[in-house]
Amino acid sequence: MSAMREELHALVDRLPEDRVQPVLALVRENLETASRRERALAIMERVQERMRGVTGVDEELDRLREGARG
């Protein structure tokens, strides 16, 4: 286990029981968001591959991808 994971475990173990649930919810939300983002990027890559050679598609997809980060 990495040092960061060990630290996380130690910190969670020190939390009062009533503070564990909000931390757990935050971690779960973070995992769900990361998973949704990975799926969305995979879909965009498939669309980009299918549309390769169509004028303006690559630029538009890049613009949309950059906009999601801002």
Side-chain angles (χ1 to χ4, degrees), residues 23-38:
V23 171
L24 185 58
L26 181 62
V27 171
R28 285 178 177 154
E29 179 182 331
N30 188 294
L31 287 172
E32 291 170 11
T33 299
S35 179
R36 283 192 304 268
R37 181 176 173 85
E38 288 172 14

Side-chain angles (χ1 to χ4, degrees), residues 46-59:
R46 286 196 304 268
V47 168
Q48 192 169 18
E49 185 59 35
R50 286 182 173 192
M51 300 298 289
R52 189 148 325 276
V54 176
T55 304
V57 170
D58 290 343
E59 293 81 5

Side-chain angles (χ1 to χ4, degrees), residues 2 4 6 9 11-12 15 19 23-24 27-28 38 40-41 44 49 51 56 58-59 62 66:
S2 74
M4 287 188 295
E6 287 179 16
H9 281 262
L11 291 171
V12 169
L15 282 174
R19 300 298 301 154
V23 171
L24 185 58
V27 171
R28 285 178 177 154
E38 288 172 14
L41 287 174
M44 286 183 72
E49 185 59 35
M51 300 298 289
D58 290 343
E59 293 81 5
D62 287 342
E66 291 301 317

